[in-house]
Structures are given as structure tokens and as C-alpha cells.
Amino acid sequence: MEPLNLHQNGSRIELLDVQQVQEVAEKIKMQFQTIDSVEEISITEAVGRVLAHDMVSKEDVPGFHRSTVDGYAVKARNTYGSTESMPTFFHITGSVKMGKDVNQTIQEGQAMYVPTGGMLPEGADAVVMIEDVEVVGDLLNVFEQVAPRENVIFKGEDVYDGEVVLKKGHRLRPQDLGGLAAIGVTKVPVYTKLKVGLLSTGDEIVPPETEELLPGQIRDINGISIAAAVQALGGQIIYGGIVKDQFDQYLSKSQELFQQVDFLILSGGSSMGTKDYTSQVMNQLGSPGVFVHGISIKPGKPTIIANCNGKPVMGLPGHPVSAMVLFELFGRQIMNQLHQVNENPFAKQLRARISRNIASQVGRTDYVRVQLEIRDHELWANPVFGKSGLITNLVKSDGMIEISQYKEGITAGEWVNVILFS
Ligand code: AMP
Ligand code: MG
């Protein structure tokens, strides 16, 4: 649907053609092609980047049966029936050195000392912890029975030869890089960083370095917070600075930035005021142009999303809280989509009880910032109230909760999903 952009006697009527959150998400899904350019980088630099191929192990990890405790490697069945009062006797035939192939075999009734992480001798299938034995010369009293595989990580138990360890589209976390190191992969194919352009608009907006603000001036918050959010998702930010609410300047700066990036974000000027030019600028950047102008959401209603010659362009509301919430919801979706990222949304959510009643309007999805707290052994979410112009509202929050368009509000004590801020 085309956005309403009505002119009457030279002034525009404030009217947004709002769409539901779910509708917007669905529309975004149908719009943009993936960007497939790939580079190979070291795992030491790969945190936050998106894997471009499945990673398959070429070996077993561990490559040998490995003890998880300090103790004595034995045949499990030889320990059966061992108790504190009726220990079983073993002959100690030696000890295993870390990082060395023992090249020895355990026979019935024999035991060999093995440190944590050490290699089990041939014939052993379990390890008795040193807490459960007594050493008398080269004899061993075992006071506990162990089952086969007890206290042992078997060859290939962590990763087997040929196993897919990580899938294409996975955003690499520290533990994933550890997993790659374990299988000897030190270079990974990742998608080249998404280039994301960011432009702040507003006559009142000045660089954050401005020491003395003149009356009416505001430091550029979104130029910093949205840039950081993009970087946290593995994107490369190209910041275009601040432009005035002046159509020609806004358009030419946007066009210049648009050429250099995979995704363009414009902050401010997204409503229907006389000096709000974002939707017009976006429609000039390419076609088909704007497909979302106005979302039935609080905060962040005046949000714009366009497809300009296949490239996504997003117009975020200037209010810093709205801008961050809307980036988190849809900017993230767009970035993930461009790289086919497989993200488990629940990995960023947890359940908590809301501490206060919150009213909400049916037909609109609300996102309420919350601070988490443990009380009486339960996790509680305390709403952080405040207008969307207050950046500290976000600074004080750990995450946000969604109140669906179908609900009139939530009641104190209700369980809610908290979407954690990263
Ligand atoms: P706008 O979306 O341009 O109507 O702006 C809405 C409100 O957000 C206004 O109060 C602006 O001063 C404020 N605002 C716009 N852009 C920024 C920015 N980059 N940083 C901080 N506040 C902003
Ligand atoms: Mg403005």
C-alpha cells in the first residue's frame, strides 16, 4: 500500500497508514535479496561475524579416550561390587604422562594412574577417582564401583570425524570459535561485513563533541547508539554525519551514502510534519520505494521502511528510545536477512514476572523497557517508565517486554518474556 501523503492548502495532514508489527515483519521477509560476498578471516577476528559455509570436522575430538578426573584407569567390570567395607584390589602397572601416547595395555585386575585430560591405556574403559581409592605400594584398593565410560570422554564424543559443527548463517560467538580451534580450523569463511550507512537529521542536532549547547540544541545520540548496534551485529558503519531539515541537502547526502552501502538508515524526520522529509527522500532513492510508513507500535510509530532498487532503507524516529527499539526489531531483521542469519530468538529471551500493572491499547503492540531483579527466588521485571525521548530510560533497562496488540495490558505478577538487550 502507498503511504498517505496528503497535501491540503500546502500543508500536510498528519496521517500514517499504520501496519501491525507482524505484517511489517512478513513484508520485510519478502523484499530483500541476500548478499553473498564471502571472505576468509582468522578465528581470532571472527567474533560476531556470520559463517558463509557449514563447518565440518575432519577429525575426531578428542582424538583419544580421555579421563575427566585424576584417578586410576581400569576395566569397569573389575570394580563391580566394590564398597567402602569390601574394596577390590588392583595391581598398579604405571602412570600416564599428559600429552603422551601411553602405548600400554591394561589387563584384568590392573590399574594405571591417569591425570585429568590424560589418555586412557588400551583396554581401560573407565576411571576411578582418586577420592575412591587407597594406594598401598603398587596395590590399589578401590572403594567404589564405576560403570563403563564413567569419568571418560571417548574418542569422537565431543566431535566426530565428518560432523557439521556449525552451520552456515550462524553468527559466531566466543564458544563457537573455541569449537573451531578444537577441530584445527583457524580460518573461517564469513560473509563480508554488511556496509550500513547512517545519517542523522534535524536542525537541532549537533555532534556529541559539542561542549556548549546553544538553546534548543540536542547532541546526536542515534549517530552513536545505532552505529554501535550495527557493529554489535557484525556490520560496518559508514556514518554520514548530520544534515539539516532541508530537502535538497538531505537528498543529496542520502544519495551519496546510498551508493556506498548495503543498507541505509536515516534517523529523524520520519513523521508527517512539514519539515519531515525522510519518506520523500527515500522514494527518490529508488523504486518501488516506501512500503511501510507507520507501525502500530509504541514507541516508534513513525517508522519508515523502503526497498530502493532492492536495497533496504529504514527511516527511524528521532526519539532515541524509539530508534533503538525499532532498530532492534526491524533493523536487526533486515541485517539478518541480508546474510541469511539463523538466529534463535529465544536465546535472547527469558521469563520473568512483571512487577506492576501496565495498561495498553488493543490494536497496538507495546514494548516496555524493564529492569530485572531477583526477589524471593524469582526473576521480576520492573518496568522503566518514561517518555521515548529519555535515553536514560534505555540505559537503566536490561531488556523489554512485548504487550501484544490483542491485549489490553498486563497484570502485576503475570509471567512475561523479556527480550534482552545485547
Ligand atoms: P524527529 O523524528 O525528527 O521528529 O525527532 C523526534 C525527536 O527526537 C525530536 O525531539 C528530536 O530532537 C529528537 N532527535 C532526533 N534525532 C535525534 C538524534 N540523532 N539524537 C537525539 N535526539 C534526536
Ligand atoms: Mg526532526
Side-chain angles (χ1 to χ4, degrees):
M1 223 180 297
E2 282 298 300
L4 296 182
N5 197 2
L6 308 175
H7 290 262
Q8 284 198 346
N9 305 328
S11 73
R12 260 175 289 153
I13 289 176
E14 197 178 316
L15 253 188
L16 294 172
D17 179 20
V18 296
Q19 303 179 40
Q20 294 298 340
V21 166
Q22 205 48 47
E23 255 178 283
V24 173
E26 290 301 321
K27 281 195 177 165
I28 292 173
K29 264 189 217 161
M30 312 203 305
Q31 293 285 340
F32 309 111
Q33 301 284 320
T34 59
I35 295 170
D36 294 325
S37 91
V38 175
E39 63 181 330
E40 212 149 67
I41 62 169
S42 162
I43 54 171
T44 58
E45 285 159 11
V47 72
R49 301 293 295 275
V50 182
L51 262 186
H53 299 303
D54 287 352
M55 299 309 292
V56 180
S57 180
K58 294 200 182 78
E59 56 186 69
D60 285 327
V61 178
F64 53 92
H65 303 329
R66 198 170 180 218
S67 177
T68 61
V69 295
D70 291 332
Y72 284 84
V74 293
K75 289 182 187 295
R77 62 172 180 270
N78 293 163
T79 69
Y80 292 168
S82 306
T83 63
E84 193 67 38
S85 54
M86 288 277 287
T88 315
F89 299 91
F90 288 78
H91 289 279
I92 301 172
T93 60
S95 71
V96 169
K97 301 268 178 312
M98 288 297 275
K100 294 256 172 16
D101 187 345
V102 282
N103 223 348
Q104 289 190 64
T105 307
I106 290 265
Q107 308 293 343
E108 300 290 334
Q110 294 184 337
M112 190 178 269
Y113 176 76
V114 53
T116 303
M119 181 174 178
L120 260 65
E122 195 66 41
D125 62 356
V127 179
V128 186
M129 290 198 284
I130 43 169
E131 289 85 339
D132 299 326
V133 303
E134 181 190 45
V135 180
V136 187
D138 58 3
L139 282 184
L140 185 74
N141 290 332
V142 169
F143 298 106
E144 278 282 340
Q145 60 179 17
V146 286
R149 304 181 86 98
E150 197 163 331
N151 300 323
V152 178
I153 295 176
F154 272 71
K155 180 175 193 288
E157 187 174 334
D158 203 344
V159 182
Y160 58 83
D161 188 349
E163 183 175 346
V164 177
V165 179
L166 291 163
K167 288 217 159 108
K168 170 183 171 161
H170 185 74
R171 184 172 285 118
L172 294 164
R173 303 165 302 165
Q175 61 266 47
D176 302 325
L177 300 169
L180 291 169
I183 62 172
V185 172
T186 56
K187 286 198 178 299
V188 278
V190 294
Y191 292 117
T192 50
K193 283 188 173 199
L194 280 180
K195 289 201 193 77
V196 181
L198 179 62
L199 196 60
S200 297
T201 71
D203 289 337
E204 75 284 21
I205 310 299
V206 294
E209 296 77 27
T210 311
E211 280 187 23
E212 294 270 338
L213 295 176
L214 298 175
Q217 289 185 333
I218 295 282
R219 291 196 183 89
D220 181 9
I221 295 173
N222 302 337
I224 299 295
S225 57
I226 301 300
V230 165
Q231 286 162 339
L233 290 179
Q236 178 196 341
I237 200 82
I238 302 181
Y239 178 60
I242 302 163
V243 293
K244 299 279 178 215
D245 292 316
Q246 199 271 327
F247 183 77
D248 296 333
Q249 190 200 342
Y250 190 178
L251 178 62
S252 67
K253 190 71 207 180
S254 300
Q255 280 168 331
E256 183 191 319
L257 209 51
F258 179 76
Q259 296 310 324
Q260 304 169 42
V261 300
D262 304 308
F263 174 26
L264 178 61
I265 301 175
L266 305 171
S267 145
S270 63
S271 305
M272 291 292 219
T274 43
K275 298 200 87 182
D276 290 334
Y277 297 119
T278 301
S279 67
Q280 291 169 62
V281 164
M282 280 159 82
N283 278 327
Q284 296 276 312
L285 292 175
S287 57
V290 172
F291 62 93
V292 171
H293 193 180
I295 304 176
S296 188
I297 191 173
K298 188 185 160 193
K301 181 178 171 186
T303 294
I304 318 174
I305 306 173
N307 177 341
C308 302
N309 305 339
K311 229 183 246 186
V313 184
M314 189 171 186
L316 291 174
H319 283 299
V321 174
S322 310
M324 280 239 72
V325 169
L326 269 290
F327 176 81
E328 187 64 26
L329 293 174
F330 298 116
R332 187 188 190 93
Q333 183 190 343
I334 291 170
M335 284 186 67
N336 283 346
Q337 198 171 309
L338 293 178
H339 276 165
Q340 290 174 278
V341 178
N342 268 322
E343 200 172 45
N344 179 358
F346 305 109
K348 280 190 66 192
Q349 291 186 15
L350 43 82
R351 295 284 280 172
R353 301 180 72 183
I354 196 79
S355 63
R356 308 250 308 251
N357 292 340
I358 305 173
S360 165
Q361 197 177 299
V362 172
R364 184 184 73 197
T365 311
D366 287 11
Y367 290 87
V368 179
R369 278 73 61 202
V370 296
Q371 200 174 42
L372 293 167
E373 181 193 17
I374 289 276
R375 240 190 302 138
D376 300 330
H377 310 291
E378 271 179 338
L379 192 57
W380 287 84
N382 302 319
V384 178
F385 290 113
K387 305 201 171 85
S388 53
L390 310 175
I391 180 66
T392 52
N393 178 301
L394 274 183
V395 175
K396 289 174 193 156
S397 308
D398 299 307
M400 60 188 182
I401 60 159
E402 181 189 279
I403 307 178
S404 111
Q405 53 157 317
Y406 303 108
K407 294 192 78 169
E408 279 181 322
I410 45 178
T411 318
E414 228 177 277
W415 286 91
V416 291
N417 279 351
V418 179
I419 303 165
L420 296 172
F421 294 137
S422 15

